[in-house]
Amino acid sequence: MAENEILQSTAVDVKNEYDASEIQVLEGLEAVRKRPGMYIGSTSASGLHHLVYEIVDNAIDEALAGYCTDIQILINPDNTITVVDNGRGIPVDTQSQTGKPALEVVYTVLHAGGKFGGGGYKVSGGLHGVGASVVNALSEWLTVQVHRDGNIYEMRFSRGQITQEMKIVGATDHTGTTVTFKPDHEIFEETVYNYETLHTRMREEAFLNAGLRIQLVDQRPGEEQEDNMCYAGGIREFVTWLNKNKDVLHNDVIYMAGQKDDSMAEIALQYNDGYNETILSFANNVHTPEGGMHEEGFKRAITTVLNNYGHKIKMLKDDEKVSGEDCREGLTCVLSVKLTDAQFEGQTKAKLGNSEIRTLVNTIVSDKLDTFLEENPQVGRMILDKALTANRAREAAKKARESIRRKTALGGAAMPDKLRDCNENNPELTEIYIVEGDSAGGSATQGRDSRFQAILPLWGKMLNVEKARADKVYGNDKLQPVITALGGGIGEEFDSSKLRYHKVIIMADADVDGSHIRTLLLTFFFRFMRPLIEEGYVYSAVPPLYKLSRGKTTRVAFSDEERDCISSEMRGDNPNTKIDISRFKGLGEMNPHELWETTMDPEKRTLRRITLDDAVKADETFTILMGEKVEPRKEFIEKNARYAVNLDY
Ligand code: 1YM
């Protein structure tokens, strides 16, 4: 689309070069300000952080070209961002077509891609090279300094317009580029940067660009923190890091790489003793969460190699086979491909479409993994053994699932005994409250609007799915009522179009036990009904913490701040009035009317939608909270203790 903008604007009847480029600049940057979403995805927090990635991408391109070794990202005390690199510095010489310094052109002209015809791998990632002018257009102000040829060149802008032409502001003994910008509050709904969001992305970049040093520093008062990231081992270390809280089956990460024509691929993998599959794939350093040809090639190859190997060493009998899923149980893999003309497809442009990459990855994995297994038979047997166990468990799970299905189908409305269903049948209009404990369940049942609200109480000790295999989960008596009531099925068969409710609301106490049950349920949804979370059906109810009364008036507060605020409001001008403040100990303690008024009435309640902004982060959190290792869990809880009530993903 950026290409069209430029083509259209250069098609204007041109009298002289200078006018033409002026028109182009104004039209281009104005287009960005008018429809920012088209260039950075959104104007919410995600778009805000995107600005940083765009500038950093230019520095990373310079590193890929072999000229930059260090990148620094600073969140300044005033929440502006500075990015520094030690590359060659953006060229400052006059460009012949425009008669302007290249630096100015980079920051004011919306490029169609590549840098002045650039080349190599950088062309098609995201907006590579295009990013600088987009960030400039969306910044209240932006300053760029270039250290080059012994001089410091500086140029300033506001909302894309030049406020200071390029000039020399000092002398220097090194080279590099420094950019500082303030995101425009007229454009962005959110202008406060989140350290963790930037940290996750920068760590990913550091893993993908072996040896590149990336330093992230938060200088905001009270939030000071920093991380210095440099991974000589690249994606091998990425895999080690992803598996850090898991017990691994073999110590060494398996690494494979290869290239053909202009494309290259590298793959790192390691098995752990868990049951989940984590494949992170990238094309030109851009994350492809929807997968694509590179993942397909990988999956096919690993299944074929393991089956062949299994027959060869006679762990698999003649007609015995392990499935692709069996081969990927407990697998952690990072897959990174580089290619010149990446085609991104799918709903969110997050899927790689180039079919030649499937062949390349398939060939590399077929050759190299086979050799590895030949040379490391002990590891080979262990992986195959794991796949075989997975295969048996999957068979058992299938039987359990079929029995659930049979029961539901035969019994018609074979709903769980404990479910208090609603009258409405249209799932778009209905909601189910999953409530902890019988007494809270009782209050909720009495307090609800039974036309569209269903209640399912859970009681007793819930199964921790992180420590159980699929067959155990399907047959579990605490989870089965949830599966049956939701109606969408489970595992590979999950189908959100069959859901019986479009709002699944977890209502648990605002204390440690409540937090625990919420996490157990979310872990279950995350591992076995992931689309339920991804498609936004899961919510957490937000019950109040305090009840304040003065005479006959009562009000509730959801936080300490709100409590103080309401209490002073209720007191009014009368400092001696006594306000009674009590803490709700649990949902069960509220009477049905209170529960409806504060937590269930759609007109007044607060619901928090559970999102999966970052599946890697969520996976890590669930592993830590629910997995086998105690030490990381202790650490996590100590670090996050103050958020315990608001554990949110
Ligand atoms: C903090 C952001 O933008 N660094 C950066 C950008 C460029 C170069 C070096 C560079 C590229 C080339 C030659 C080239 C860019 N140059 C251009 C353009 N850091 C940051 N560091 N010399 C220097 O690609 O040939 C665009 S970006 F177009 F002017 F060459």
Side-chain angles (χ1 to χ4, degrees):
M1 86 248 16
E3 199 154 12
N4 282 342
E5 305 281 357
I6 290 183
L7 291 179
Q8 275 163 18
S9 49
T10 43
V12 169
D13 187 17
V14 185
K15 293 251 162 34
N16 69 50
E17 293 288 354
Y18 185 79
D19 284 353
S21 58
E22 281 301 282
I23 292 167
Q24 184 175 317
V25 167
L26 288 176
E27 284 185 355
L29 295 194
E30 205 163 295
V32 177
R33 287 183 64 80
K34 252 195 211 135
R35 303 170 79 182
M38 282 186 57
Y39 300 86
I40 51 162
S42 82
T43 53
S44 61
S46 137
L48 179 77
H49 290 82
H50 210 104
L51 299 183
V52 182
Y53 310 150
E54 288 302 333
I55 299 295
V56 170
D57 272 352
N58 287 346
I60 288 183
D61 280 352
E62 184 68 355
L64 287 174
Y67 298 100
C68 162
T69 58
D70 281 75
I71 300 173
Q72 203 182 28
I73 299 104
L74 308 169
I75 311 176
N76 299 310
D78 60 353
N79 198 50
T80 59
I81 296 284
T82 299
V83 182
V84 188
D85 74 36
N86 67 344
R88 288 167 291 180
I90 301 176
V92 291
D93 49 330
T94 306
Q95 252 220 316
S96 58
Q97 301 127 282
T98 53
K100 294 172 173 183
L103 175 65
E104 176 179 332
V105 178
V106 170
Y107 272 85
T108 55
V109 177
L110 195 56
H111 292 96
K115 298 172 190 171
F116 302 15
Y121 299 127
K122 55 192 160 204
V123 212
S124 35
L127 292 164
H128 292 221
V130 187
S133 60
V134 170
V135 176
N136 193 17
L138 303 177
S139 294
E140 197 178 314
W141 55 260
L142 180 146
T143 303
V144 51
Q145 285 194 340
V146 171
H147 291 242
R148 210 178 153 114
D149 312 324
N151 296 319
I152 305 174
Y153 301 84
E154 187 187 80
M155 188 156 189
R156 291 173 183 264
F157 308 86
S158 171
R159 301 192 163 107
Q161 313 276 347
I162 300 169
T163 53
Q164 177 197 296
E165 298 284 349
M166 189 178 83
K167 68 175 187 194
I168 294 176
V169 295
T172 180
D173 61 357
H174 63 272
T175 64
T177 305
T178 300
V179 177
T180 301
F181 64 91
K182 178 172 197 218
D184 193 346
H185 59 85
E186 287 176 8
I187 302 273
F188 292 96
E189 293 146 40
E190 172 69 69
T191 51
V192 180
Y193 276 103
N194 181 309
Y195 177 84
E196 264 318 308
T197 305
L198 293 177
H199 190 202
T200 304
R201 172 65 176 247
M202 292 307 131
R203 185 169 45 216
E204 199 171 279
E205 293 280 19
F207 279 126
L208 291 168
N209 297 283
L212 175 62
R213 183 173 303 281
I214 302 183
Q215 193 190 22
L216 174 66
V217 186
D218 194 342
Q219 302 179 319
R220 290 171 295 189
E223 319 226 350
E224 291 89 350
Q225 55 189 320
E226 64 173 90
D227 197 6
N228 214 320
M229 295 156 283
C230 180
Y231 306 104
I235 64 167
R236 292 180 197 80
E237 277 190 69
F238 201 166
V239 168
T240 306
W241 183 83
L242 288 165
N243 267 342
K244 69 180 180 305
N245 295 319
K246 315 201 174 177
D247 289 315
V248 295
L249 286 192
H250 48 105
N251 282 328
D252 293 332
V253 172
I254 305 173
Y255 177 81
M256 302 165 265
Q259 64 184 80
K260 182 162 190 265
D261 304 327
D262 276 344
S263 307
M264 59 183 250
E266 51 170 353
I267 302 115
L269 64 89
Q270 186 182 39
Y271 282 88
N272 61 60
D273 70 351
Y275 310 121
N276 305 305
E277 149 186 348
T278 308
I279 299 181
L280 289 183
S281 63
F282 299 85
N284 294 349
N285 289 354
V286 177
H287 188 27
T288 40
E290 290 182 50
M293 292 297 170
H294 47 347
E295 277 194 26
E296 271 185 35
F298 170 75
K299 288 179 180 174
R300 258 191 223 184
I302 198 158
T303 312
T304 314
V305 170
L306 287 183
N307 273 291
N308 289 346
Y309 180 73
H311 285 119
K312 195 176 250 153
I313 63 164
K314 308 243 171 345
M315 273 181 80
L316 288 176
K317 301 198 192 71
D318 297 342
D319 53 353
E320 214 178 358
K321 260 200 250 158
V322 282
S323 73
E325 266 191 74
D326 297 334
C327 296
R328 301 193 299 272
E329 191 186 275
L331 173 70
T332 300
C333 170
V334 175
L335 173 52
S336 168
V337 301
K338 305 254 168 81
L339 65 171
T340 26
D341 186 23
Q343 303 292 325
F344 292 96
E345 300 173 345
Q347 281 206 318
T348 54
K349 296 270 168 234
K351 186 172 176 183
L352 184 67
N354 306 57
S355 59
E356 74 275 11
I357 285 293
R358 184 174 52 201
T359 319
L360 175 64
V361 175
N362 194 320
T363 312
I364 297 173
V365 176
S366 300
D367 290 357
K368 308 249 156 105
L369 186 60
D370 195 49
T371 314
F372 175 88
L373 296 174
E374 292 287 339
E375 289 169 2
N376 301 271
Q378 247 185 330
V379 179
R381 297 190 82 84
M382 218 145 46
I383 295 176
L384 215 73
D385 190 48
K386 173 125 179 100
L388 269 166
T389 320
N391 186 272
R392 282 178 214 123
R394 206 173 304 283
E395 288 301 318
K398 204 163 138 205
K399 290 208 181 87
R401 209 163 49 214
E402 271 160 12
S403 114
I404 294 179
R405 200 168 37 212
R406 251 195 322 274
K407 272 187 218 153
T408 329
L410 290 178
M415 283 297 134
D417 290 345
K418 295 265 179 184
L419 176 71
R420 296 291 162 259
D421 216 343
C422 54
N423 305 327
E424 175 61 56
N425 281 325
N426 179 356
E428 287 176 24
L429 305 176
T430 60
E431 42 193 57
I432 182 168
Y433 276 82
I434 303 182
V435 187
E436 170 202 6
D438 273 343
S439 79
S443 289
T445 305
Q446 287 177 47
R448 69 174 171 156
D449 184 333
S450 62
R451 284 173 302 177
F452 66 98
Q453 293 180 317
I455 310 292
L456 179 66
L458 295 180
W459 71 103
K461 200 170 172 307
M462 271 259 303
L463 176 77
N464 178 358
V465 300
E466 198 65 26
K467 293 179 187 165
R469 253 213 176 87
D471 53 328
K472 288 261 165 40
V473 172
Y474 297 151
N476 181 260
D477 63 339
K478 300 291 183 296
L479 291 172
Q480 249 192 28
V482 180
I483 303 170
T484 315
L486 295 191
I490 184 165
E492 299 143 59
E493 290 178 356
F494 180 81
D495 179 355
S496 55
S497 72
K498 298 217 173 83
L499 281 174
R500 301 180 61 246
Y501 316 90
H502 278 194
K503 283 202 175 74
V504 177
I505 304 166
I506 303 174
M507 184 156 75
D509 284 334
D511 60 11
V512 179
D513 288 342
S515 196
H516 188 65
I517 197 149
R518 192 166 26 243
T519 313
L520 285 169
L521 265 174
L522 287 177
T523 313
F524 169 59
F525 291 150
F526 181 69
R527 298 289 182 215
F528 293 91
M529 301 184 183
R530 194 169 300 183
L532 191 70
I533 304 186
E534 284 170 346
E535 292 166 25
Y537 294 112
V538 185
Y539 299 81
S540 177
V542 185
L545 289 179
Y546 298 102
K547 177 153 124 182
L548 300 92
S549 358
R550 177 191 159 179
K552 286 216 170 80
T553 326
T554 53
R555 290 177 63 183
V556 295
F558 292 86
S559 67
D560 291 6
E561 293 80 44
E562 198 181 9
R563 173 198 61 198
D564 297 343
C565 199
I566 292 177
S567 121
S568 75
E569 249 179 61
M570 286 175 92
R571 199 170 278 120
D573 297 331
N574 201 340
N576 288 325
T577 315
K578 187 164 161 30
I579 311 282
D580 232 11
I581 301 180
S582 60
R583 195 183 162 97
F584 285 112
K585 290 209 189 65
L587 294 162
E589 223 183 52
M590 272 187 238
N591 67 43
H593 178 70
E594 277 174 336
L595 197 56
W596 164 258
E597 287 272 311
T598 59
T599 318
M600 296 178 75
D601 177 1
E603 300 281 319
K604 299 187 189 141
R605 71 185 176 193
T606 310
L607 287 186
R608 217 171 34 224
R609 182 179 252 152
I610 307 292
T611 57
L612 272 189
D613 276 344
D614 180 0
V616 175
K617 188 104 206 142
D619 183 86
E620 189 192 358
T621 311
F622 286 125
T623 309
I624 292 177
L625 282 177
M626 296 293 150
E628 299 284 354
K629 291 197 174 177
V630 179
E631 203 42 45
R633 176 158 52 243
K634 217 176 115 214
E635 234 171 69
F636 180 90
I637 291 172
E638 278 164 11
K639 193 171 155 209
N640 294 285
R642 66 195 165 110
Y643 305 119
V645 175
N646 283 326
L647 209 58
D648 200 357
Y649 304 96

